[in-house]
Amino acid sequence: MPILNYTTSIAVEKTTSEIQGKLARAGAQAVMTEYDDEQVLCALSFRILCNGIMVSFRLPAQIDRIYMLLQRDDKAPRKLKTRDQAARVAWRIIKDWIEAQLAIVEAEQAEMVEVFLPYAQNPATGKTLFEQLSNDQFALLDYKSH
């Protein structure tokens, strides 16, 4: 089965602009873009105020992983098996995911910090909560050790 949005032709900049608008409307106070060595947008960071504390989040686009998936997909035409296409696909998937998360927040099923929590950044290290937990082999979540 082909990866979601694999045929998109929407530019990365348009998609990330849409994402920035959605995050701003949801209360983000700042949004920053990051680029890789090839000047491809590879992450969005944003911050929101939560109980008087400014919390930062970093949403990476795993462009190289998408590129590898496109390469392996026999159903994807060769013209769609490029790194540029992988970037377009990665950001469309992230946009769709953010829309779903914000719908949960709008329906008062969760708070904004709650839905983005794995991507919360430690201000001292810059690592996301998920990266920290992963580096510690998820020891904090191991019920056997508590």
Side-chain angles (χ1 to χ4, degrees), residues 83-118:
R83 193 163 189 278
D84 286 342
Q85 181 65 14
R88 286 190 288 274
V89 171
W91 283 108
R92 287 314 279 184
I93 291 170
I94 291 169
K95 182 197 74 71
D96 290 349
W97 177 79
I98 289 171
E99 286 174 338
Q101 298 309 307
L102 294 178
I104 291 169
V105 172
E106 289 169 10
E108 298 181 2
Q109 300 300 298
E111 295 180 29
M112 188 140 157
V113 171
E114 186 177 3
V115 298
F116 291 108
L117 194 57

Side-chain angles (χ1 to χ4, degrees), residues 3-60:
I3 191 166
L4 181 67
N5 295 323
Y6 82 102
T7 61
T8 188
S9 61
I10 300 170
V12 167
E13 294 75 17
K14 177 172 176 28
T15 299
T16 54
S17 176
E18 291 173 19
I19 291 169
Q20 289 177 17
K22 291 174 188 310
L23 291 171
R25 284 187 295 281
Q29 297 195 347
V31 181
M32 183 180 82
T33 53
E34 296 177 41
Y35 295 85
D36 65 15
D37 293 338
E38 297 175 21
Q39 288 71 52
V40 175
L41 206 148
C42 63
L44 278 179
S45 297
F46 66 97
R47 65 179 188 228
I48 60 170
L49 194 58
C50 177
N51 297 329
I53 297 171
M54 194 62 69
V55 182
S56 295
F57 301 86
R58 183 176 183 273
L59 300 173

